[in-house]
Amino acid sequence: MVKYLIISIFIADQSLIKMDRTSILNQYKGICSDVLGELTTKLNKSFKSFLMETLILYLVIPGRINFLQLGRYGKSCEQRFRQNFSKDFDWLEFNLSLSDRVLTGDRKAIAIDPSYISKSGKNTPWIGYFWSGAAGQAKRGLEILGVGLIDVDNKDCISLQAVQTPDRQTLESRDANLTDWYLLVIKSMREKLHRASRHVVADAYFAKNNFATGLQEMKFDLVSRFRDDAALYYPTLQKPTGKKGRPKLYDGKIDMANLDTTRVQKINIDNGDLYTLVAYSKSLKQMVRLVIWYFKDGKKPKLFFSTNPEMSGKDVIEFYRTRFQIEFCFRDAKGFTGLIQSQARDVAKLSFNFNASLTSVNLAKVLARERGIPFSMASCKTMIHNAYLLERFICVSGIKPNRRLNDKLVKELIEFAASAA
């Protein structure tokens, strides 16, 4: 009886999928196929089909995403996923191609942000103590450095690549620290990142001389935030005297409580007053474009800057505020596409999982944009999950229904619970 009930509800055939299944699953596959075809590195047919299946399953599987679950829901066996996860793939080039479909604004920047990954186990590679922003302390687990491309005009972000951070012992054996590692990661992507933007946006941790200098050597400008007690100085108004000796660089230290309004330019912004000027940073040992944000509620002013003094104050604050979009990518990947759920014990397999998870979120954004619907990770995952299950029911049933009678029914089944999500 149950069998006939299922057949009567999910009546459809392969030609039925005009409105919904085609425009969701096949459209999703079409996006993957088109971008893979644009890559300079050509993939063999087997790995290409594996990759497309994996990226679909990351949006289909409702619970924990690991090798066992991939084997259960997919058409391939568990062992195929284990073997192929150790292979290299150019996620950076793939996601840069995806970004052209979503990020249409004129102002773009490279956003970097480390993210803590909860993990335990003695055999997990590079496990150690890393800073967790949510917990406000260092916790045992893993860390990835996420590199994304933000669209300042449209307030959106596409994750480009995630690279796992080595633990302290591994870094010490290489005579390096965290900042050296982060610069090395960016350097490995430098040529492709240059095609997207020359601005790198990062939080206050990266407002260090060695990091800013390293970026400038790679032809990048840093947009970040100073500590509240940063030592900053007004540039000198004195003209060169022609005498021997080093010329004067600055006049005096900037007192945030008594700002010299004759030296600054005011910018209109919500929730406070914004002032900008070119200032000398003692910690960075260079002139920067400084932006000071005074809040109406009396909080300490926040100090934002760019190592490019020619950058406008408005651009500095808008670039930095858009940086938070990369954290939304981490949030969606952790909540819906298994960013923290891999049980692999190999650096290559972990890296594949991190990037497949973040790329799945990117693909969902592209799909939502091409379908003309507001992006919601929960809704996209629900619809693709429903469409995938419906397709499996159809294949198992092996029946030929009336397409015109069932278009509406199929649409309702696929969109079921998506609006609530």
Side-chain angles (χ1 to χ4, degrees):
M1 182 66 182
V2 175
K3 177 181 178 181
Y4 292 110
L5 179 61
I6 292 175
I7 292 176
S8 65
I9 293 178
F10 295 102
I11 288 179
D13 69 342
Q14 298 304 321
S15 62
L16 165 68
I17 325 297
K18 176 186 177 184
M19 176 68 186
D20 293 285
R21 211 176 79 202
T22 296
S23 55
I24 295 179
L25 278 182
N26 285 3
Q27 185 177 1
Y28 187 87
K29 293 176 184 177
I31 294 170
C32 294
S33 181
D34 291 345
V35 177
L36 288 173
E38 296 171 1
L39 300 183
T40 56
T41 303
K42 299 303 178 183
L43 306 174
N44 61 58
K45 187 176 181 181
S46 175
F47 185 76
K48 185 176 179 180
S49 64
F50 157 78
L51 189 63
M52 291 179 62
E53 181 183 10
T54 301
L55 292 175
I56 290 173
L57 291 177
Y58 267 77
L59 283 181
V60 167
I61 299 175
R64 178 176 290 275
I65 301 175
N66 51 30
F67 294 129
L68 181 61
Q69 287 284 78
L70 289 168
R72 284 174 174 170
Y73 278 82
K75 298 178 182 178
S76 305
C77 65
E78 178 184 344
Q79 190 63 24
R80 188 189 185 203
F81 290 103
R82 290 185 181 274
Q83 292 173 348
N84 281 278
F85 264 53
S86 61
K87 295 182 179 180
D88 291 330
F89 178 67
D90 195 342
W91 296 102
L92 177 59
E93 186 177 358
F94 182 89
N95 287 312
L96 278 173
S97 296
L98 275 181
S99 68
D100 295 335
R101 298 169 176 245
V102 178
L103 309 183
T104 57
D106 295 327
R107 295 180 299 169
K108 297 186 179 68
I110 309 300
I112 61 172
D113 191 40
S115 181
Y116 169 77
I117 305 295
S118 178
K119 192 68 64 176
S120 60
K122 297 180 180 179
N123 296 323
T124 303
W126 292 352
I127 192 168
Y129 284 87
F130 297 97
W131 180 259
S132 169
Q137 62 180 353
K139 295 181 65 178
R140 182 173 172 81
L142 305 179
E143 181 189 86
I144 57 173
L145 177 66
V147 180
L149 182 63
I150 59 173
D151 184 341
V152 180
D153 296 319
N154 297 313
K155 304 295 185 294
D156 204 352
C157 177
I158 287 290
S159 299
L160 298 180
Q161 190 169 353
V163 180
Q164 186 179 347
T165 305
D167 60 338
R168 181 173 57 84
Q169 291 80 5
T170 303
L171 288 174
E172 289 178 351
S173 67
R174 301 180 182 182
D175 194 24
N177 55 34
L178 275 177
T179 302
D180 297 331
W181 173 257
Y182 297 149
L183 284 171
L184 183 63
V185 170
I186 298 174
K187 187 175 182 180
S188 67
M189 309 176 185
R190 173 178 53 184
E191 293 182 3
K192 293 180 180 179
L193 293 181
H194 275 170
R195 301 201 303 261
S197 177
R198 294 298 179 99
H199 303 289
V200 173
V201 188
D203 62 20
Y205 172 84
F206 295 91
K208 301 176 180 179
N209 182 35
N210 56 345
F211 187 79
T213 302
L215 284 183
Q216 288 177 315
E217 291 174 354
M218 291 185 272
K219 309 301 181 183
F220 286 110
D221 299 321
L222 175 64
V223 178
S224 185
R225 182 173 70 85
F226 283 124
R227 286 174 39 166
D228 295 343
D229 59 351
L232 299 160
Y233 299 84
Y234 292 109
T236 181
L237 299 178
Q238 179 180 325
K239 295 181 180 180
T241 60
K243 298 181 180 179
K244 293 182 179 180
R246 180 183 178 185
K248 190 176 181 181
L249 294 178
Y250 46 83
D251 285 340
K253 188 174 182 180
I254 300 177
D255 183 2
M256 302 302 167
N258 298 285
L259 190 66
D260 186 352
T261 56
T262 62
R263 290 175 173 256
V264 300
Q265 177 184 0
K266 188 174 181 180
I267 303 175
N268 295 324
I269 196 170
D270 56 324
N271 193 29
D273 297 322
L274 208 65
Y275 297 91
T276 180
L277 73 156
V278 175
Y280 179 80
S281 167
K282 184 177 180 180
S283 61
L284 299 185
K285 298 180 176 58
Q286 62 176 300
M287 291 290 183
V288 298
R289 166 61 62 180
L290 177 65
V291 177
I292 310 171
W293 191 349
Y294 290 92
F295 295 93
K296 293 181 179 180
D297 54 10
K299 294 180 181 178
K300 286 186 177 181
K302 298 298 180 183
L303 311 175
F304 306 92
F305 73 92
S306 169
T307 53
N308 179 10
E310 302 300 322
M311 194 173 184
S312 70
K314 181 181 179 182
D315 281 346
V316 171
I317 192 65
E318 290 183 351
F319 273 59
Y320 189 84
R321 294 174 81 176
T322 312
R323 181 195 71 83
F324 290 94
Q325 292 293 327
I326 193 174
E327 299 186 9
F328 299 149
C329 294
F330 290 139
R331 177 200 64 188
D332 289 338
K334 289 179 179 180
F336 297 99
T337 58
L339 182 67
I340 61 176
Q341 294 171 352
S342 175
Q343 296 172 329
R345 292 179 292 179
D346 180 80
V347 173
K349 293 178 180 178
L350 284 170
S351 176
F352 196 100
N353 171 74
F354 296 144
N355 286 286
S357 174
L358 290 166
T359 301
S360 300
V361 176
N362 294 342
L363 287 165
K365 287 184 178 182
V366 175
L367 182 65
R369 185 178 185 87
E370 292 191 356
R371 290 177 64 83
I373 60 176
F375 171 70
S376 166
M377 195 61 208
S379 296
C380 286
K381 190 174 177 77
T382 300
M383 286 192 294
I384 292 180
H385 171 77
N386 291 348
Y388 187 83
L389 285 185
L390 180 56
E391 185 178 62
R392 293 295 291 269
F393 282 125
I394 292 166
C395 293
V396 171
S397 300
I399 53 178
K400 289 188 176 181
N402 187 309
R403 170 173 152 180
R404 289 181 300 173
L405 293 177
N406 291 278
D407 268 345
K408 183 179 180 181
L409 177 60
V410 171
K411 182 178 180 181
E412 290 177 356
L413 289 171
I414 290 177
E415 294 181 353
F416 176 73
S419 58

